[in-house]
Amino acid sequence: MKRIIILTGDELRHQYFRTCMALDPRFEVIETVCEGVEKSLGARTRQRTDTSVLERWHLEARDQAEADFFGEVTSHLEDRTHPRRIPKGAINDPDEVARIIDLAPDLLICYGASLIRGALLDRFAGRFLNVHLGLSPWYRGSGTNVWPLIEGAPQMVGATFMHIDAGIDTGRILHQIRADIALGDSPHSIGNRLIRKMTATYADLVAHFDALSDLPSPDPTQGRLYKQADFDAEACARLYRNFRDGMIETHLADFDPAQAPPLVRNPVLESAA
């Protein structure tokens, strides 16, 4: 049985992820390192002096949607993750790195942690997985499942599982999934439903890690690197304008998977389904 350490954040979606992962009997979570929320999108947006009313509503709606999707699970299921909370960005501190190495996990599993540097990458090369909530390489960086909705491309909302490296969402891709979209969706219901799907898929990847196939990745020169500052009042307005103007209804009526970029699909997961 694989012994894993999870590196993640500490918002409700991260708590849901680590709680569900630790309840899977196919591997053991020996510790979870949870970075703080002091530099989160919510914290940054609320501190800005030019934040629009719509941006504040967007964050309030996101918090409520996370509570609706994940709150009952995190409140009622046993937490077997052995969480240890650290400040945002402290994951690369020498003491933190030494502690993780001393625990000698078989795999490191990352979701929503800071950009990893140095010794952890070297020590756990080939045994360090990351999930990027976005379809890489087309959408890399920050907010990469909001930007497809801003740009009118809901078919490009998804998640990419990869071997982590020193770049920003540039590791060798193991598997990708696309979001499931339903009539009446909001940006937050799409994202939260994807997180539930991502968590189950990640668990399968960990359980079948030794049998995973090496697959060619998409052309890394495609796509764009999005920055936190790119999501401003105008981008937020475009997001909700698209929903108001029927983007979801049009997608459900017209989307043809053959017209979207092909995703990386690991045959081990396909056969285990």
Side-chain angles (χ1 to χ4, degrees):
M1 178 182 290
K2 288 281 191 295
R3 300 166 68 253
I4 71 171
I5 290 179
I6 297 173
L7 313 180
T8 189
D10 205 22
E11 297 189 72
L12 200 53
R13 60 189 177 275
H14 305 116
Q15 296 172 32
Y16 169 86
F17 170 77
R18 62 182 176 84
T19 298
C20 291
M21 290 289 283
L23 291 173
D24 194 303
R26 296 175 294 178
F27 45 84
E28 177 187 4
V29 177
I30 60 175
E31 183 171 88
T32 302
V33 183
C34 307
E35 291 192 299
V37 301
E38 60 272 12
K39 297 181 182 179
S40 67
L41 173 65
R44 295 192 312 272
T45 302
R46 292 181 178 101
Q47 291 168 3
R48 280 173 38 209
T49 59
D50 62 343
T51 301
S52 69
V53 172
L54 183 58
E55 287 176 280
R56 293 186 184 277
W57 286 352
H58 174 71
L59 290 174
E60 291 172 7
R62 187 190 69 170
D63 291 345
Q64 184 60 56
E66 286 197 11
D68 293 341
F69 268 79
F70 308 131
E72 188 171 8
V73 169
T74 57
S75 297
H76 291 86
L77 293 185
E78 180 184 359
D79 185 353
R80 301 178 182 175
T81 68
H82 312 289
R84 189 167 55 84
R85 291 173 171 83
I86 63 173
K88 184 68 173 177
I91 193 67
N92 294 304
D93 290 355
D95 290 346
E96 295 297 335
V97 171
R99 177 185 173 88
I100 291 169
I101 290 173
D102 287 346
L103 287 171
D106 298 308
L107 298 174
L108 293 185
I109 305 300
C110 186
Y111 162 47
S114 298
L115 192 64
I116 308 296
R117 305 287 190 189
L120 287 179
L121 296 179
D122 296 336
R123 176 59 70 97
F124 294 97
R127 298 185 292 131
F128 196 161
L129 303 184
N130 181 47
V131 62
H132 164 58
L133 287 182
L135 291 180
S136 185
W138 303 283
Y139 289 86
R140 296 181 293 112
S142 178
T144 45
N145 274 335
V146 171
W147 281 103
L149 300 175
I150 295 170
E151 296 172 353
Q155 71 276 9
M156 296 303 291
V157 177
T160 301
F161 304 87
M162 61 182 67
H163 286 286
I164 203 166
D165 64 12
I168 301 176
D169 308 322
T170 57
R172 183 165 56 84
I173 296 174
L174 293 167
H175 191 69
Q176 292 178 312
I177 57 175
R178 204 182 303 277
D180 299 317
I181 296 176
L183 191 66
D185 263 337
S186 72
H188 309 301
S189 61
I190 293 171
N192 289 336
R193 189 182 303 116
L194 176 63
I195 288 169
R196 292 199 304 207
K197 183 178 182 180
M198 174 275 290
T199 301
T201 305
Y202 215 156
D204 287 341
L205 279 167
V206 173
H208 296 285
F209 176 79
D210 291 335
L212 294 177
S213 303
D214 286 332
L215 301 170
S217 292
D219 181 356
T221 64
Q222 298 183 50
R224 174 182 165 189
L225 177 65
Y226 294 82
K227 299 178 181 179
Q228 294 172 349
D230 292 333
F231 187 76
D232 55 14
E234 172 55 28
C236 191
R238 286 170 57 198
L239 172 67
Y240 285 97
R241 190 160 56 243
N242 286 346
F243 277 81
R244 182 198 65 199
D245 292 345
M247 175 180 66
I248 296 303
E249 292 82 354
T250 299
H251 169 78
L252 292 173
D254 299 340
F255 174 55
D256 179 0
Q259 296 179 355
L263 302 186
V264 175
R265 305 289 294 180
N266 204 290
V268 172
L269 267 65
E270 300 291 306
S271 62

